[in-house]
C-alpha cells in the first residue's frame, strides 16, 4: 500500500519537472565525482605515485573545498524535485532509515571542515595531510551510501511496512536489496574520469606557460584516470542487470528511449576517451572541451536511465500520470529565471577559480626551476 500523493498535485507537467531534475542531478553528480575523484587521485599521488605526480596531487587537493561547495549547492534542486515527484515514497523511506538520514548534514559539515582544514594548513603538516583528505573522503562516501540506500528503498514500497515494524527507530541502512552496491558504484565510477579531465585541463594551461614536461605528466596521468571509469561503469551495469533483471527488462521492452539512451551513453563515453587522448601535446581547449561534453552526455544518460528504471519498478504501485496537474506558469518562469541565473553565476565562478588553481601549479614550478622554454 502506497500513501496517496499530495492532493494539490503537480504544479507542472511531470516531464518538465523530470527534465529539470535530470539537468540538475547531472550537474550535481559531476561536482560530486570531481570531489571524490580528486580525493582518490590525491591519495594515490601521496601513497604510490612518486615525486613526479606531486604537482598533480597538489592541484586536485587545492580544489576539494570548491568541489564540496558545488556538490552541496547543485545537490539541493534535484533533491527537491524528487520530493515533488515521489514525495510519498521518499518521505516514507526517509522515516524508515531516519537514524541514518539525519546524519547527512552533520557528516557533510565534518567532511567540508576537513577539506578546508587541509587547505588552510597547506605545507605546515605535510605528513598528516593525506590522513585528513582520506577521512573526509570516507565521510563523503558514507553520505553517498546513505543516499543510495534511501533512493533504492523508495523503489521497494512493498518492504516499507515490514521494515518500519521491525525498526521503528529508523535504524535501517541496508534492507536486503542487492542492487544497492552496483547503483552506488555506477554513480561514483565516473569520479576518476572527471578528476582526470581536470588534470588534462591543467596540462593545457601549463603548456601555454611553457612547462611542457609537467603538462605531459598531468595529461598522461589524467588520461589514464579517464580510462578506468568505463571499466567501473561496465562492472556496475553488469551488477544492475544481475540484481534488477525485472526492472531493466521491463524498461527495455516498454520504451523505445532505452536504446537511444544506451547509444548516447556509449557515444559520450567514446567521445570522452578519444578527445581526452587528443588533448595530449596541445594548447587548444577544443579537445578537452569536447571530452568534457562527452562526459556530461554519459552522466546524463545514466541519470535518465536510472529514473526510467524507477518508473518501471514502481509501475504496479505508483504512476506519475495518476497525479493531478494544476499548472502554475508564473512560479515556473520565476524558478527558471532563478535557476539560469544561479547556474550562470556558478559557471562564471568556476571559470575564474579553476585557472587560479592551475596558476598555483605554475607558481610552484617556477619556484623549482625556470620554464623549459627559457
Amino acid at each position: 500500500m502506497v500513501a496517496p500523493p499530495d492532493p494539490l498535485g503537480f504544479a507542472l507537467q511531470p516531464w518538465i519537472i523530470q527534465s529539470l531534475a535530470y539537468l540538475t542531478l547531472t550537474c550535481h553528480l559531476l561536482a560530486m565525482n570531481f570531489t571524490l575523484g580528486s580525493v582518490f587521485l590525491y591519495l594515490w599521488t601521496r601513497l604510490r605515485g612518486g615525486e613526479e605526480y606531486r604537482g598533480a596531487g597538489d592541484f586536485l587537493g587545492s580544489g576539494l573545498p570548491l568541489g564540496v561547495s558545488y556538490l552541496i549547492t547543485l545537490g539541493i534542486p534535484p533533491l527537491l524535485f524528487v520530493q515533488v515527484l515521489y514525495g510519498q515514497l521518499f518521505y516514507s523511506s526517509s522515516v524508515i532509515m531516519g537514524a541514518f538520514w539525519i546524519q547527512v548534514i552533520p557528516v557533510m559539515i565534518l567532511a567540508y571542515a576537513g577539506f578546508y582544514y587541509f587547505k588552510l594548513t597547506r605545507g605546515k603538516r605535510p605528513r598528516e595531510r593525506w590522513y585528513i583528505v582520506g577521512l573526509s573522503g570516507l565521510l563523503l562516501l558514507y553520505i553517498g551510501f546513505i543516499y543510495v540506500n534511501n533512493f533504492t528503498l523508495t523503489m521497494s514500497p512493498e518492504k516499507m511496512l515490514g521494515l518500519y515494524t521491525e525498526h521503528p527507530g529508523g535504524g535501517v541502512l541496508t534492507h536486503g536489496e542487492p542492487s544497492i552496491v552496483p547503483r552506488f558504484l555506477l554513480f561514483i565510477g565516473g569520479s576518476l574520469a572527471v578528476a582526470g579531465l581536470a588534470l588534462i585541463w591543467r596540462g593545457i594551461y601549463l603548456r601555454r606557460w611553457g612547462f611542457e614536461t609537467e603538462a605531459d605528466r598531468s595529461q598522461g596521468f589524467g588520461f589514464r584516470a579517464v580510462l578506468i571509469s568505463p571499466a567501473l561503469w561496465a562492472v556496475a551495469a553488469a551488477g544492475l542487470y544481475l540484481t534488477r533483471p525485472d526492472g531493466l527488462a521491463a524498461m527495455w521492452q516498454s520504451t523505445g528511449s532505452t536504446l537511444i539512451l544506451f547509444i548516447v551513453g556509449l557515444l559520450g563515453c567514446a567521445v570522452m576517451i578519444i578527445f581526452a587522448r587528443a588533448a595530449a601535446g596541445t594548447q587548444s581547449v577544443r579537445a578537452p572541451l569536447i571530452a568534457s561534453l562527452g562526459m556530461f552526455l554519459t552522466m546524463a544518460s545514466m541519470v535518465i536511465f536510472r529514473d526510467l528504471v524507477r518508473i518501471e519498478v514502481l509501475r504496479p504501485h505508483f504512476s506519475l500520470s495518476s497525479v493531478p496537474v494544476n499548472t502554475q506558469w508564473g512560479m515556473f518562469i520565476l524558478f527558471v529565471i532563478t535557476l539560469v541565473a544561479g547556474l550562470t553565476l556558478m559557471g562564471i565562478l568556476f571559470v575564474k577559480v579553476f585557472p587560479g588553481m592551475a596558476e598555483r601549479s605554475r607558481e610552484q614550478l617556477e619556484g623549482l626551476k625556470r620554464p623549459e622554454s627559457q
Side-chain angles (χ1 to χ4, degrees):
M1 178 66 180
V2 177
D6 190 332
L8 295 178
F10 295 143
L12 296 165
Q13 293 294 330
W15 69 267
I16 299 178
I17 305 175
Q18 288 174 287
S19 300
L20 292 171
Y22 298 156
L23 171 64
T24 53
L25 181 57
T26 301
C27 293
H28 165 68
L29 290 176
L30 289 173
M32 180 269 289
N33 277 293
F34 168 77
T35 308
L36 284 177
S38 296
V39 170
F40 296 148
L41 294 183
Y42 173 84
L43 293 176
W44 190 89
T45 62
R46 288 302 180 266
L47 301 177
R48 299 293 299 276
E51 198 64 32
E52 66 270 23
Y53 295 109
R54 183 166 293 274
D58 287 340
F59 167 79
L60 293 173
S62 67
L64 289 172
L66 176 68
V68 175
S69 66
Y70 269 73
L71 77 86
I72 293 174
T73 304
L74 293 171
I76 295 173
L79 185 62
L80 295 176
F81 289 131
V82 166
Q83 295 176 40
V84 171
L85 291 169
Y86 306 100
Q88 70 272 37
L89 298 166
F90 175 76
Y91 290 126
S92 298
S93 62
S94 298
V95 169
I96 292 170
M97 54 174 294
F100 295 97
W101 186 245
I102 202 171
Q103 298 174 17
V104 168
I105 293 179
V107 173
M108 178 61 76
I109 291 174
L110 287 175
Y112 203 3
F115 287 135
Y116 255 110
Y117 177 77
F118 159 79
K119 183 176 182 179
L120 295 175
T121 57
R122 182 185 295 122
K124 296 181 180 179
R125 300 178 179 87
R127 294 183 179 180
E128 299 178 10
R129 291 174 66 199
W130 73 268
Y131 290 105
I132 300 171
V133 174
L135 289 173
S136 297
L138 286 175
L139 292 177
L140 289 184
L141 288 173
Y142 177 62
I143 293 172
F145 195 64
I146 291 175
Y147 264 79
V148 171
N149 270 266
N150 197 348
F151 290 121
T152 304
L153 183 55
T154 62
M155 298 166 58
S156 304
E158 72 280 359
K159 298 181 180 180
M160 290 182 178
L161 181 59
L163 289 172
Y164 181 74
T165 303
E166 294 175 9
H167 306 276
V172 177
L173 184 57
T174 57
H175 53 281
E177 172 53 60
S179 67
I180 287 178
V181 174
R183 282 166 62 89
F184 183 63
L185 179 60
L186 184 67
F187 287 104
I188 68 169
S191 58
L192 295 178
V194 178
L197 287 173
L199 289 176
I200 290 174
W201 278 99
R202 172 181 180 258
I204 296 294
Y205 287 102
L206 291 177
R207 201 175 302 280
R208 291 181 174 182
W209 295 329
F211 295 96
E212 297 287 339
T213 301
E214 184 62 24
D216 289 339
R217 290 173 178 169
S218 184
Q219 292 183 327
F221 184 29
F223 178 68
R224 290 191 293 273
V226 167
L227 290 178
I228 297 175
S229 284
L232 296 177
W233 286 330
V235 172
L240 282 175
Y241 179 77
L242 293 174
T243 57
R244 275 285 184 182
D246 52 342
L248 291 176
M251 186 189 69
W252 195 276
Q253 296 169 5
S254 65
T255 173
S257 60
T258 304
L259 180 60
I260 297 175
L261 284 174
F262 185 72
I263 294 174
V264 169
L266 287 180
L267 287 177
C269 189
V271 167
M272 176 186 68
I273 294 173
I274 292 171
F275 283 91
R277 182 67 183 90
T282 178
Q283 299 180 13
S284 173
V285 302
R286 187 175 72 93
L289 180 60
I290 296 176
S292 301
L293 291 175
M295 177 68 196
F296 184 88
L297 285 177
T298 303
M299 192 65 70
S301 66
M302 292 182 187
V303 167
I304 300 173
F305 194 90
R306 164 184 174 267
D307 191 50
L308 293 181
V309 172
R310 173 166 50 193
I311 290 172
E312 288 301 322
V313 171
L314 288 175
R315 193 173 296 279
H317 309 281
F318 170 75
S319 174
L320 295 175
S321 60
S322 65
V323 181
V325 178
N326 299 306
T327 308
Q328 301 179 32
W329 289 113
M331 295 298 295
F332 172 65
I333 293 173
L334 180 61
F335 173 81
V336 169
I337 293 173
T338 305
L339 177 64
V340 171
L343 291 177
T344 301
L345 290 174
M346 293 185 71
I348 294 173
L349 175 63
F350 183 79
V351 170
K352 295 290 185 180
V353 172
F354 188 84
M357 293 166 54
E359 180 70 26
R360 186 172 185 278
S361 295
R362 175 186 181 181
E363 295 172 356
Q364 291 175 333
L365 292 170
E366 287 178 341
L368 297 175
K369 61 179 180 179
R370 301 297 298 172
E372 296 175 14
S373 61
Q374 297 181 2

